[in-house]
Amino acid sequence: SQQGEEDPQALSIQEGENATMNCSYKTSINNLQWYRQNSGRGLVHLILIRSNEREKHSGRLRVTLDTSKKSSSLLITASRAADTASYFCATDSGGGADGLTFGKGTHLIIQP
Amino acid sequence: DAGVIQSPRHEVTEMGQEVTLRCKPISGHNSLFWYRQTMMRGLELLIYFNNNVPIDDSGMPEDRFSAKMPNASFSTLKIQPSEPRDSAVYFCASSTRQDSPLHFGNGTRLTVT
């Protein structure tokens, strides 16, 4: 079953605008991760946020985590055409014994 | 660092044939994962290994699927016999620890006709 669910399923914005994607999950977690997938390629890890963290930054990426609402958001600022990809959130089960469970992703298109 | 290497990149086979997918994880990584990706079901975890030992294979869909990790640098996922519904992209990923970020290979696109 899907642990994380991304929203929206698809997002199209103009280059230079900010893109926000959301992820909701169902059970307690140790950490939440975001990945990017370009067409025809494997997933690439972007950022990991632990359950005791509320916000984390990496370059143009900002991730927030609200464990009370079981949700996370990924913000990409000043988007570029190269940011066009699918973005996935992934969660562990909280017990540390299972592999990561991925949502179905948000397909982001940056219009030049 | 060559990354996670998967072979073949594409595999087309007929229903009933045996298919073997191969994976070489990043050297020094102790955890290895097999995922399957389809449009309908997204990314599904099939099985993962820690230190070459299978930890959880509850995601393996049927007995037709089997996975091995004979040593720290090699793993296989075998489907025998293959069926059209097995068509998907199969990813291998490795990590330093079970809860560390995953490094994915570029996948094997399997088509069963």
Side-chain angles (χ1 to χ4, degrees):
Chain A
S1 63
Q2 298 293 333
Q3 162 75 312
E5 293 291 340
E6 292 87 348
D7 170 58
Q9 290 187 330
L11 179 63
S12 180
I13 61 173
Q14 295 295 123
E15 194 167 23
E17 294 180 339
N18 296 340
T20 299
M21 289 157 273
N22 302 296
C23 169
S24 60
Y25 57 93
K26 297 174 183 173
T27 63
S28 62
I29 60 172
N30 287 327
N31 63 64
L32 184 143
Q33 303 180 38
W34 285 91
Y35 288 77
R36 182 188 74 224
Q37 184 180 31
N38 290 91
S39 180
R41 306 297 296 271
L43 283 73
V44 174
H45 178 258
L46 294 176
I47 197 165
L48 180 153
I49 186 165
R50 300 198 182 281
S51 60
N52 61 353
E53 298 176 310
R54 292 295 167 260
E55 189 171 309
K56 203 161 183 180
H57 296 253
S58 176
R60 293 184 296 113
L61 306 181
R62 181 171 79 97
V63 169
T64 62
L65 179 64
D66 187 335
T67 53
S68 67
K69 295 182 179 178
K70 292 186 170 60
S71 68
S72 173
S73 68
L74 170 67
L75 168 68
I76 303 174
T77 61
S79 63
R80 305 167 182 170
D83 295 328
T84 294
S86 292
Y87 292 82
F88 297 85
C89 69
T91 55
D92 59 10
S93 66
D98 301 328
L100 291 179
T101 302
F102 287 81
K104 288 191 175 181
T106 292
H107 185 51
L108 175 65
I109 297 174
I110 308 299
Q111 308 276 5
Chain B
D1 181 358
V4 175
I5 299 173
Q6 291 187 246
S7 64
R9 283 283 278 140
H10 302 273
E11 177 80 36
V12 180
T13 191
E14 291 183 348
M15 183 174 62
Q17 296 297 307
E18 177 180 296
V19 175
T20 299
L21 312 181
R22 297 173 175 79
C23 174
K24 177 178 168 56
I26 293 173
S27 177
H29 283 193
N30 297 321
S31 297
L32 183 140
F33 305 78
W34 282 100
Y35 283 88
R36 177 172 69 176
Q37 186 177 38
T38 61
M39 288 293 292
M40 289 295 294
R41 300 174 69 88
L43 270 160
E44 301 172 279
L45 176 63
L46 301 177
I47 186 172
Y48 74 95
F49 296 82
N50 271 352
N51 296 314
N52 313 338
V53 176
I55 301 301
D56 183 2
D57 65 354
S58 60
M60 297 284 262
E62 297 172 33
D63 291 345
R64 299 183 295 106
F65 287 68
S66 62
K68 294 182 179 179
M69 192 164 186
N71 56 62
S73 59
F74 184 64
S75 177
T76 60
L77 178 68
K78 185 176 293 186
I79 308 172
Q80 165 64 14
S82 58
E83 297 182 2
R85 59 194 168 119
D86 302 331
S87 297
V89 181
Y90 290 80
F91 287 102
C92 174
S94 69
S95 66
T96 53
R97 292 195 327 256
Q98 208 168 296
D99 58 349
S100 299
L102 301 184
H103 296 255
F104 281 78
N106 281 325
T108 294
R109 180 174 294 277
L110 174 65
T111 303
V112 183
T113 60

Short mmCIF file of all heavy atoms in Angstrom, two decimals, chain A residues 2 30-31 33 35 37 40-45 48 50 88 92 96-104, chain B residues 9 33 35 37 39-43 45 48 55-56 91 97-107:
data_model
loop_
_atom_site.label_atom_id
_atom_site.label_comp_id
_atom_site.label_asym_id
_atom_site.label_seq_id
_atom_site.Cartn_x
_atom_site.Cartn_y
_atom_site.Cartn_z
N GLN A 2 0.35 2.35 -0.49
CA GLN A 2 1.12 3.57 -0.58
C GLN A 2 1.14 4.23 0.79
O GLN A 2 0.10 4.49 1.38
CB GLN A 2 0.49 4.50 -1.61
CG GLN A 2 0.46 3.93 -3.02
CD GLN A 2 1.85 3.78 -3.62
OE1 GLN A 2 2.74 4.49 -3.25
NE2 GLN A 2 2.00 2.83 -4.51
N ASN A 30 10.34 7.67 10.95
CA ASN A 30 11.62 8.14 11.48
C ASN A 30 12.12 9.32 10.66
O ASN A 30 12.67 10.27 11.19
CB ASN A 30 12.67 7.03 11.47
CG ASN A 30 12.42 5.99 12.53
OD1 ASN A 30 11.92 6.31 13.61
ND2 ASN A 30 12.75 4.74 12.23
N ASN A 31 11.97 9.20 9.35
CA ASN A 31 12.37 10.28 8.47
C ASN A 31 11.54 10.25 7.19
O ASN A 31 10.88 9.25 6.88
CB ASN A 31 13.87 10.24 8.16
CG ASN A 31 14.28 8.99 7.42
OD1 ASN A 31 13.86 8.77 6.30
ND2 ASN A 31 15.12 8.17 8.04
N GLN A 33 11.87 11.41 3.00
CA GLN A 33 12.85 11.79 1.97
C GLN A 33 12.11 12.22 0.70
O GLN A 33 11.01 11.75 0.42
CB GLN A 33 13.76 10.60 1.65
CG GLN A 33 14.49 10.05 2.87
CD GLN A 33 15.39 8.88 2.54
OE1 GLN A 33 16.03 8.86 1.50
NE2 GLN A 33 15.44 7.91 3.45
N TYR A 35 12.72 12.58 -3.54
CA TYR A 35 13.53 12.13 -4.65
C TYR A 35 13.01 12.77 -5.94
O TYR A 35 11.83 13.12 -6.05
CB TYR A 35 13.45 10.60 -4.80
CG TYR A 35 14.18 9.82 -3.74
CD1 TYR A 35 13.64 9.66 -2.47
CD2 TYR A 35 15.43 9.24 -3.99
CE1 TYR A 35 14.30 8.95 -1.48
CE2 TYR A 35 16.10 8.52 -3.02
CZ TYR A 35 15.54 8.38 -1.77
OH TYR A 35 16.21 7.68 -0.80
N GLN A 37 12.97 12.15 -10.27
CA GLN A 37 13.19 11.18 -11.34
C GLN A 37 13.01 11.86 -12.68
O GLN A 37 11.94 12.36 -12.99
CB GLN A 37 12.23 9.99 -11.22
CG GLN A 37 12.49 8.91 -12.27
CD GLN A 37 11.52 7.73 -12.16
OE1 GLN A 37 10.37 7.89 -11.76
NE2 GLN A 37 11.98 6.54 -12.50
N GLY A 40 13.10 8.19 -17.90
CA GLY A 40 13.99 7.12 -18.32
C GLY A 40 15.17 6.87 -17.41
O GLY A 40 16.07 6.09 -17.75
N ARG A 41 15.18 7.51 -16.25
CA ARG A 41 16.30 7.37 -15.34
C ARG A 41 15.85 6.88 -13.97
O ARG A 41 14.65 6.80 -13.67
CB ARG A 41 17.01 8.73 -15.17
CG ARG A 41 17.45 9.38 -16.47
CD ARG A 41 18.48 8.54 -17.20
NE ARG A 41 19.71 8.40 -16.47
CZ ARG A 41 20.74 9.25 -16.58
NH1 ARG A 41 20.65 10.30 -17.36
NH2 ARG A 41 21.85 9.03 -15.88
N GLY A 42 16.82 6.54 -13.13
CA GLY A 42 16.50 6.16 -11.77
C GLY A 42 16.23 7.37 -10.90
O GLY A 42 16.45 8.51 -11.31
N LEU A 43 15.74 7.13 -9.70
CA LEU A 43 15.46 8.22 -8.79
C LEU A 43 16.74 8.75 -8.17
O LEU A 43 17.69 7.99 -7.93
CB LEU A 43 14.52 7.76 -7.67
CG LEU A 43 13.05 7.62 -8.03
CD1 LEU A 43 12.77 6.41 -8.90
CD2 LEU A 43 12.20 7.57 -6.76
N VAL A 44 16.74 10.04 -7.91
CA VAL A 44 17.90 10.69 -7.30
C VAL A 44 17.45 11.33 -5.99
O VAL A 44 16.46 12.06 -5.95
CB VAL A 44 18.48 11.77 -8.24
CG1 VAL A 44 19.59 12.54 -7.55
CG2 VAL A 44 18.99 11.13 -9.52
N HIS A 45 18.20 11.04 -4.93
CA HIS A 45 17.86 11.59 -3.62
C HIS A 45 18.10 13.09 -3.57
O HIS A 45 19.15 13.58 -4.03
CB HIS A 45 18.71 10.90 -2.55
CG HIS A 45 18.47 11.43 -1.18
ND1 HIS A 45 19.33 12.31 -0.56
CD2 HIS A 45 17.46 11.22 -0.31
CE1 HIS A 45 18.86 12.61 0.63
NE2 HIS A 45 17.74 11.96 0.81
N LEU A 48 16.63 14.71 2.97
CA LEU A 48 16.05 13.88 4.02
C LEU A 48 15.75 14.77 5.21
O LEU A 48 16.59 15.59 5.60
CB LEU A 48 17.04 12.77 4.42
CG LEU A 48 16.64 11.78 5.52
CD1 LEU A 48 17.38 10.46 5.32
CD2 LEU A 48 16.93 12.30 6.91
N ARG A 50 14.29 14.54 9.22
CA ARG A 50 14.00 13.60 10.29
C ARG A 50 12.72 14.02 11.02
O ARG A 50 12.29 15.17 10.96
CB ARG A 50 15.17 13.51 11.27
CG ARG A 50 16.44 13.05 10.58
CD ARG A 50 17.50 12.55 11.52
NE ARG A 50 18.71 12.17 10.80
CZ ARG A 50 18.87 11.03 10.13
NH1 ARG A 50 17.90 10.15 10.09
NH2 ARG A 50 20.00 10.78 9.52
N PHE A 88 9.07 12.55 -5.86
CA PHE A 88 8.47 11.55 -5.00
C PHE A 88 8.86 11.80 -3.55
O PHE A 88 10.02 12.13 -3.27
CB PHE A 88 8.95 10.15 -5.37
CG PHE A 88 8.57 9.69 -6.75
CD1 PHE A 88 9.35 10.04 -7.84
CD2 PHE A 88 7.44 8.92 -6.96
CE1 PHE A 88 9.00 9.62 -9.12
CE2 PHE A 88 7.09 8.50 -8.22
CZ PHE A 88 7.87 8.85 -9.32
N ASP A 92 9.82 5.85 5.76
CA ASP A 92 10.02 4.54 6.36
C ASP A 92 8.79 4.25 7.21
O ASP A 92 7.88 5.06 7.32
CB ASP A 92 11.30 4.51 7.18
CG ASP A 92 11.30 5.54 8.30
OD1 ASP A 92 10.25 6.16 8.57
OD2 ASP A 92 12.36 5.76 8.90
N GLY A 96 11.89 1.26 11.59
CA GLY A 96 13.26 1.13 11.12
C GLY A 96 13.58 -0.20 10.50
O GLY A 96 14.70 -0.43 10.09
N ALA A 97 12.60 -1.08 10.39
CA ALA A 97 12.89 -2.41 9.90
C ALA A 97 12.50 -2.62 8.45
O ALA A 97 12.82 -3.64 7.87
CB ALA A 97 12.18 -3.45 10.76
N ASP A 98 11.80 -1.67 7.87
CA ASP A 98 11.29 -1.83 6.52
C ASP A 98 12.00 -0.90 5.55
O ASP A 98 12.58 0.09 5.96
CB ASP A 98 9.79 -1.54 6.48
CG ASP A 98 9.01 -2.46 7.40
OD1 ASP A 98 9.45 -3.61 7.58
OD2 ASP A 98 7.99 -2.01 7.94
N GLY A 99 11.89 -1.23 4.27
CA GLY A 99 12.42 -0.34 3.25
C GLY A 99 11.51 0.87 3.08
O GLY A 99 10.47 0.98 3.71
N LEU A 100 11.92 1.79 2.22
CA LEU A 100 11.15 3.00 1.97
C LEU A 100 9.91 2.71 1.14
O LEU A 100 9.94 1.88 0.23
CB LEU A 100 12.00 4.02 1.23
CG LEU A 100 13.15 4.66 2.00
CD1 LEU A 100 13.89 5.65 1.09
CD2 LEU A 100 12.66 5.35 3.25
N THR A 101 8.84 3.42 1.45
CA THR A 101 7.60 3.36 0.67
C THR A 101 7.44 4.68 -0.05
O THR A 101 7.48 5.74 0.58
CB THR A 101 6.39 3.08 1.57
OG1 THR A 101 6.60 1.85 2.27
CG2 THR A 101 5.13 2.95 0.72
N PHE A 102 7.23 4.61 -1.37
CA PHE A 102 7.14 5.81 -2.19
C PHE A 102 5.69 6.10 -2.57
O PHE A 102 4.88 5.19 -2.75
CB PHE A 102 7.95 5.62 -3.48
CG PHE A 102 9.42 5.67 -3.29
CD1 PHE A 102 10.12 4.55 -2.85
CD2 PHE A 102 10.14 6.83 -3.56
CE1 PHE A 102 11.49 4.59 -2.66
CE2 PHE A 102 11.52 6.87 -3.38
CZ PHE A 102 12.19 5.76 -2.94
N GLY A 103 5.41 7.40 -2.73
CA GLY A 103 4.14 7.80 -3.31
C GLY A 103 4.21 7.69 -4.82
O GLY A 103 5.21 7.23 -5.37
N LYS A 104 3.14 8.11 -5.49
CA LYS A 104 3.09 7.99 -6.95
C LYS A 104 3.69 9.20 -7.65
O LYS A 104 3.83 9.22 -8.86
CB LYS A 104 1.66 7.75 -7.43
CG LYS A 104 1.15 6.37 -7.10
CD LYS A 104 -0.15 6.05 -7.80
CE LYS A 104 -0.56 4.61 -7.53
NZ LYS A 104 -1.82 4.25 -8.21
N ARG B 9 19.55 -2.98 -19.78
CA ARG B 9 18.71 -1.77 -19.70
C ARG B 9 17.32 -2.04 -20.22
O ARG B 9 16.34 -1.47 -19.72
CB ARG B 9 19.36 -0.64 -20.50
CG ARG B 9 20.52 0.01 -19.80
CD ARG B 9 20.05 0.96 -18.69
NE ARG B 9 19.68 2.27 -19.19
CZ ARG B 9 18.64 2.98 -18.77
NH1 ARG B 9 17.85 2.49 -17.83
NH2 ARG B 9 18.39 4.17 -19.26
N PHE B 33 18.08 -2.96 -2.43
CA PHE B 33 16.63 -2.98 -2.58
C PHE B 33 16.27 -3.24 -4.05
O PHE B 33 16.92 -2.72 -4.95
CB PHE B 33 16.02 -1.64 -2.17
CG PHE B 33 16.38 -1.19 -0.78
CD1 PHE B 33 17.61 -0.62 -0.51
CD2 PHE B 33 15.47 -1.33 0.27
CE1 PHE B 33 17.95 -0.21 0.77
CE2 PHE B 33 15.79 -0.91 1.55
CZ PHE B 33 17.04 -0.35 1.79
N TYR B 35 12.98 -2.61 -6.53
CA TYR B 35 11.69 -1.97 -6.69
C TYR B 35 11.16 -2.23 -8.10
O TYR B 35 11.92 -2.43 -9.03
CB TYR B 35 11.79 -0.44 -6.50
CG TYR B 35 11.90 0.03 -5.07
CD1 TYR B 35 13.14 0.15 -4.45
CD2 TYR B 35 10.77 0.41 -4.36
CE1 TYR B 35 13.24 0.60 -3.14
CE2 TYR B 35 10.86 0.87 -3.06
CZ TYR B 35 12.10 0.96 -2.46
OH TYR B 35 12.20 1.42 -1.16
N GLN B 37 8.40 -0.41 -10.92
CA GLN B 37 7.64 0.81 -11.18
C GLN B 37 6.71 0.62 -12.36
O GLN B 37 7.15 0.24 -13.46
CB GLN B 37 8.58 2.00 -11.44
CG GLN B 37 7.84 3.33 -11.58
CD GLN B 37 8.79 4.51 -11.77
OE1 GLN B 37 9.81 4.40 -12.45
NE2 GLN B 37 8.47 5.63 -11.14
N MET B 39 2.93 2.51 -14.17
CA MET B 39 2.07 3.69 -14.12
C MET B 39 0.94 3.49 -13.13
O MET B 39 0.57 4.40 -12.39
CB MET B 39 1.51 3.97 -15.52
CG MET B 39 2.52 4.50 -16.50
SD MET B 39 3.09 6.14 -16.04
CE MET B 39 1.59 7.09 -16.30
N MET B 40 0.39 2.28 -13.12
CA MET B 40 -0.79 2.04 -12.29
C MET B 40 -0.46 1.97 -10.80
O MET B 40 -1.19 2.51 -9.97
CB MET B 40 -1.45 0.71 -12.71
CG MET B 40 -2.14 0.78 -14.06
SD MET B 40 -3.54 1.91 -14.03
CE MET B 40 -4.62 1.06 -12.90
N ARG B 41 0.64 1.33 -10.45
CA ARG B 41 0.93 1.05 -9.04
C ARG B 41 2.09 1.86 -8.48
O ARG B 41 2.38 1.79 -7.28
CB ARG B 41 1.20 -0.44 -8.88
CG ARG B 41 0.01 -1.32 -9.31
CD ARG B 41 0.40 -2.79 -9.27
NE ARG B 41 0.61 -3.26 -7.91
CZ ARG B 41 -0.33 -3.75 -7.13
NH1 ARG B 41 -1.57 -3.86 -7.59
NH2 ARG B 41 -0.07 -4.15 -5.90
N GLY B 42 2.74 2.64 -9.34
CA GLY B 42 3.87 3.43 -8.86
C GLY B 42 5.05 2.54 -8.53
O GLY B 42 5.26 1.51 -9.13
N LEU B 43 5.83 2.96 -7.53
CA LEU B 43 7.02 2.22 -7.11
C LEU B 43 6.65 1.26 -5.99
O LEU B 43 6.15 1.66 -4.94
CB LEU B 43 8.08 3.18 -6.59
CG LEU B 43 9.08 3.72 -7.58
CD1 LEU B 43 9.71 4.98 -7.05
CD2 LEU B 43 10.15 2.70 -7.90
N LEU B 45 8.13 -1.78 -3.45
CA LEU B 45 9.29 -2.48 -2.92
C LEU B 45 9.04 -3.98 -3.01
O LEU B 45 8.05 -4.49 -2.48
CB LEU B 45 9.52 -2.09 -1.46
CG LEU B 45 10.65 -2.82 -0.73
CD1 LEU B 45 11.99 -2.53 -1.38
CD2 LEU B 45 10.68 -2.42 0.75
N TYR B 48 14.30 -6.53 0.05
CA TYR B 48 15.57 -5.88 0.33
C TYR B 48 16.47 -6.77 1.18
O TYR B 48 15.99 -7.65 1.89
CB TYR B 48 15.38 -4.49 0.94
CG TYR B 48 14.92 -4.43 2.37
CD1 TYR B 48 15.83 -4.30 3.42
CD2 TYR B 48 13.57 -4.43 2.68
CE1 TYR B 48 15.41 -4.21 4.72
CE2 TYR B 48 13.14 -4.34 3.99
CZ TYR B 48 14.05 -4.22 5.00
OH TYR B 48 13.63 -4.13 6.30
N ILE B 55 15.87 -9.55 4.07
CA ILE B 55 15.21 -9.13 5.30
C ILE B 55 13.69 -9.17 5.15
O ILE B 55 12.98 -9.62 6.05
CB ILE B 55 15.65 -7.71 5.70
CG1 ILE B 55 17.17 -7.66 5.89
CG2 ILE B 55 14.92 -7.25 6.95
CD1 ILE B 55 17.70 -8.59 6.94
N ASP B 56 13.20 -8.68 4.03
CA ASP B 56 11.74 -8.61 3.84
C ASP B 56 11.44 -8.86 2.38
O ASP B 56 11.81 -8.06 1.54
CB ASP B 56 11.22 -7.25 4.28
CG ASP B 56 9.70 -7.14 4.17
OD1 ASP B 56 9.05 -8.13 3.79
OD2 ASP B 56 9.18 -6.06 4.47
N PHE B 91 13.89 -1.47 -10.68
CA PHE B 91 15.02 -0.70 -10.18
C PHE B 91 15.71 -1.44 -9.04
O PHE B 91 15.06 -2.05 -8.20
CB PHE B 91 14.55 0.66 -9.65
CG PHE B 91 14.17 1.64 -10.71
CD1 PHE B 91 12.83 1.88 -11.00
CD2 PHE B 91 15.14 2.34 -11.41
CE1 PHE B 91 12.48 2.79 -11.99
CE2 PHE B 91 14.79 3.25 -12.39
CZ PHE B 91 13.45 3.47 -12.67
N ARG B 97 23.13 2.22 4.89
CA ARG B 97 22.34 1.60 5.97
C ARG B 97 20.90 1.54 5.52
O ARG B 97 20.50 2.19 4.57
CB ARG B 97 22.42 2.43 7.25
CG ARG B 97 23.72 2.49 7.95
CD ARG B 97 23.54 3.03 9.38
NE ARG B 97 22.49 3.99 9.51
CZ ARG B 97 22.69 5.31 9.64
NH1 ARG B 97 23.92 5.77 9.61
NH2 ARG B 97 21.69 6.13 9.79
N GLN B 98 20.13 0.77 6.26
CA GLN B 98 18.73 0.58 5.93
C GLN B 98 17.97 1.89 5.87
O GLN B 98 17.07 2.07 5.08
CB GLN B 98 18.11 -0.31 7.00
CG GLN B 98 16.95 -1.15 6.58
CD GLN B 98 16.67 -2.17 7.64
OE1 GLN B 98 17.49 -3.04 7.92
NE2 GLN B 98 15.51 -2.07 8.28
N ASP B 99 18.31 2.86 6.72
CA ASP B 99 17.55 4.10 6.80
C ASP B 99 18.29 5.28 6.17
O ASP B 99 17.98 6.43 6.44
CB ASP B 99 17.23 4.42 8.27
CG ASP B 99 18.48 4.53 9.12
OD1 ASP B 99 19.56 4.17 8.64
OD2 ASP B 99 18.37 4.98 10.27
N SER B 100 19.26 4.97 5.34
CA SER B 100 20.00 6.02 4.65
C SER B 100 19.39 6.28 3.28
O SER B 100 18.64 5.46 2.76
CB SER B 100 21.46 5.60 4.47
OG SER B 100 22.08 5.40 5.70
N PRO B 101 19.71 7.43 2.66
CA PRO B 101 19.21 7.70 1.31
C PRO B 101 19.59 6.59 0.33
O PRO B 101 20.68 6.02 0.41
CB PRO B 101 19.88 9.02 0.94
CG PRO B 101 20.08 9.69 2.26
CD PRO B 101 20.42 8.60 3.22
N LEU B 102 18.69 6.32 -0.58
CA LEU B 102 18.92 5.27 -1.58
C LEU B 102 19.60 5.85 -2.82
O LEU B 102 19.31 6.97 -3.24
CB LEU B 102 17.60 4.64 -2.00
CG LEU B 102 16.76 3.98 -0.91
CD1 LEU B 102 15.54 3.31 -1.51
CD2 LEU B 102 17.58 2.99 -0.12
N HIS B 103 20.47 5.03 -3.40
CA HIS B 103 21.09 5.34 -4.68
C HIS B 103 20.52 4.34 -5.68
O HIS B 103 20.71 3.13 -5.51
CB HIS B 103 22.61 5.21 -4.58
CG HIS B 103 23.23 6.19 -3.64
ND1 HIS B 103 23.93 7.29 -4.07
CD2 HIS B 103 23.24 6.24 -2.29
CE1 HIS B 103 24.35 7.98 -3.02
NE2 HIS B 103 23.94 7.37 -1.93
N PHE B 104 19.83 4.87 -6.68
CA PHE B 104 19.16 4.02 -7.65
C PHE B 104 20.01 3.80 -8.90
O PHE B 104 20.73 4.70 -9.34
CB PHE B 104 17.84 4.65 -8.09
CG PHE B 104 16.72 4.47 -7.11
CD1 PHE B 104 16.63 5.25 -5.98
CD2 PHE B 104 15.73 3.51 -7.33
CE1 PHE B 104 15.59 5.09 -5.07
CE2 PHE B 104 14.69 3.35 -6.44
CZ PHE B 104 14.62 4.14 -5.30
N GLY B 105 19.86 2.61 -9.48
CA GLY B 105 20.35 2.39 -10.83
C GLY B 105 19.37 2.98 -11.82
O GLY B 105 18.33 3.54 -11.44
N ASN B 106 19.68 2.88 -13.11
CA ASN B 106 18.80 3.45 -14.13
C ASN B 106 17.71 2.49 -14.58
O ASN B 106 16.95 2.82 -15.49
CB ASN B 106 19.62 3.92 -15.33
CG ASN B 106 20.28 5.26 -15.07
OD1 ASN B 106 19.71 6.12 -14.39
ND2 ASN B 106 21.49 5.44 -15.59
N GLY B 107 17.65 1.34 -13.95
CA GLY B 107 16.52 0.45 -14.16
C GLY B 107 16.66 -0.47 -15.36
O GLY B 107 17.48 -0.26 -16.26
#
